[in-house]
Amino acid sequence: MNADDRNLLARGRVATRLPAQDLDRARRFYSEQLGLEPVDERPGGLLYRCGGVEFALFMSTGASPGTFTQMGWQVDDIEAAVAELKQRGVVFEEVEVPGFRTRDGIAEIDGNYPSKGARGERAAWFRDSEGNLLGVGELVF
């Protein structure tokens, strides 16, 4: 038995929680712009599933600072994903920071986690209706 087998958190599933000041507005954004529908809901919360992983939008009086990526999707074709999302009205961030900058909404990022076996990543970022910063990325082999 290795350490991960004994660690309850390492065996657990991770789920992202994103704040929404207006849950109805957020539901419309995720449906109309991202093409996602909640798989479940409760008062003050919407639950989504993508690729076997869950994330939830929850009613909050607080707002996200939107200064860092809060959740991201790994896709096989970032250009196709960005094009589809742009057609749905999603606006991508233009980023220029030391080490990389976006061109047409997509950044080339050198390096990656060794366990992923990739030499880099291509990534793009956008904000949801609530100011949460979300991303899409494609591994570069």
Side-chain angles (χ1 to χ4, degrees):
M1 182 179 287
N2 67 36
D4 284 348
D5 291 335
R6 292 186 300 268
N7 185 315
L8 293 176
L9 292 180
R11 291 192 334 254
R13 293 178 47 196
V14 174
T16 298
R17 304 291 186 249
L18 299 171
Q21 290 186 329
D22 184 327
L23 208 51
D24 290 331
R25 176 179 63 203
R27 179 196 293 261
R28 282 191 307 277
F29 176 88
Y30 280 78
S31 175
E32 295 169 9
Q33 269 69 45
L34 304 186
L36 301 174
E37 298 297 333
V39 296
D40 204 354
E41 60 185 280
R42 63 176 173 81
L46 301 171
L47 180 67
Y48 294 83
R49 284 195 188 105
C50 297
V53 177
E54 296 178 345
F55 73 93
L57 299 175
F58 67 93
M59 188 67 182
S60 175
T61 57
S64 164
T67 57
F68 56 89
T69 308
Q70 294 165 261
M71 183 175 73
W73 286 266
Q74 185 172 321
V75 297
D76 293 329
D77 184 343
I78 193 166
E79 288 175 351
V82 167
E84 179 181 323
L85 292 171
K86 282 182 176 179
Q87 284 183 334
R88 293 174 172 262
V90 173
V91 176
F92 284 84
E93 301 282 308
E94 290 298 329
V95 178
E96 193 163 334
V97 297
F100 70 91
R101 62 175 254 201
T102 54
R103 287 181 183 78
D104 296 324
I106 299 174
E108 305 285 336
I109 304 168
D110 289 331
N112 210 313
Y113 299 105
S115 65
K116 290 189 173 193
R119 64 177 170 80
E121 183 177 20
R122 300 176 73 209
W125 298 269
F126 62 93
R127 294 179 194 284
D128 71 5
S129 61
E130 308 308 296
N132 297 305
L133 186 60
L134 309 174
V136 292
E138 173 190 1
L139 296 178
V140 177
F141 296 95

